[in-house]
Amino acid sequence: MSDPELGARFAESAHRILADLVRGGAALGWVDPPSRDEVAGLLDGVAAGACAGDAVLRGAYIDRQLVGLGYWQRYARPTHRPHADLEKVAVGAAAQGRGVGRALTAALVADARRAGIEVLTLDARGDNSAALSLYRSLGFTEYGRLPDFVAVGELRYDKVFYMLDFRGKD
């Protein structure tokens, strides 16, 4: 972000959302809540990718408060550059059930289409039925599953892979 103060406020709000969700057991890739520095570093990397045209970061606001965020990043491998991965979509608990996740994901999908992405992929934990239902409703299709791949302590969950293929679709 070009305004360092705005970027710091975004990072602090994003940290609060992500840490609270992980504390509550959300499937966001962390077992323990991420640190402020970890979230700030993650966002800095996505922002750098966005400046290069290789990523999009979106925030969702209600009453000028950040309530959700999501991003996709183009694959780094040269043979995969036409494609991107939707890596995180997170909505704070107080804003869930209000269509924020749907709006955020739909905006990220539209951004990917405008950026010329050919295939947008994502993966999700198999027990995250609300997210999987949302992705299917937006046109994503399952293309694979790794049984018992995600480890949270002694618990194991499937890792489910979804894709949205924009090739040949206008």
Side-chain angles (χ1 to χ4, degrees), residues 155-166:
L155 301 174
R156 298 293 181 267
Y157 303 94
D158 290 356
K159 182 175 185 176
V160 184
F161 299 92
Y162 275 73
M163 63 176 271
L164 185 55
D165 191 340
F166 298 119

Side-chain angles (χ1 to χ4, degrees), residues 54-161:
D54 292 334
V56 166
L57 170 65
R58 281 202 171 251
Y61 294 83
I62 295 176
D63 297 329
R64 301 186 62 151
Q65 294 289 335
L66 183 71
V67 297
L69 65 142
Y71 67 91
W72 59 256
Q73 294 190 98
R74 194 179 291 273
Y75 283 95
R77 186 179 297 171
T79 56
H80 297 175
R81 299 278 304 148
H83 315 295
D85 194 50
L86 181 61
E87 296 184 18
K88 294 246 184 290
V89 175
V91 176
Q96 291 179 7
R98 298 171 69 179
V100 174
R102 173 173 296 283
L104 191 54
T105 306
L108 289 163
V109 166
D111 292 335
R113 186 185 295 268
R114 274 192 301 277
I117 298 301
E118 292 180 10
V119 179
L120 183 62
T121 62
L122 64 87
D123 63 77
R125 203 167 79 187
D127 68 325
N128 195 348
S129 56
L132 296 175
S133 177
L134 168 65
Y135 299 139
R136 282 190 302 273
S137 76
L138 291 171
F140 284 85
T141 58
E142 183 176 331
Y143 70 91
R145 181 179 292 255
L146 291 171
D148 298 329
F149 186 81
V150 179
V152 180
E154 298 297 316
L155 301 174
R156 298 293 181 267
Y157 303 94
D158 290 356
K159 182 175 185 176
V160 184
F161 299 92

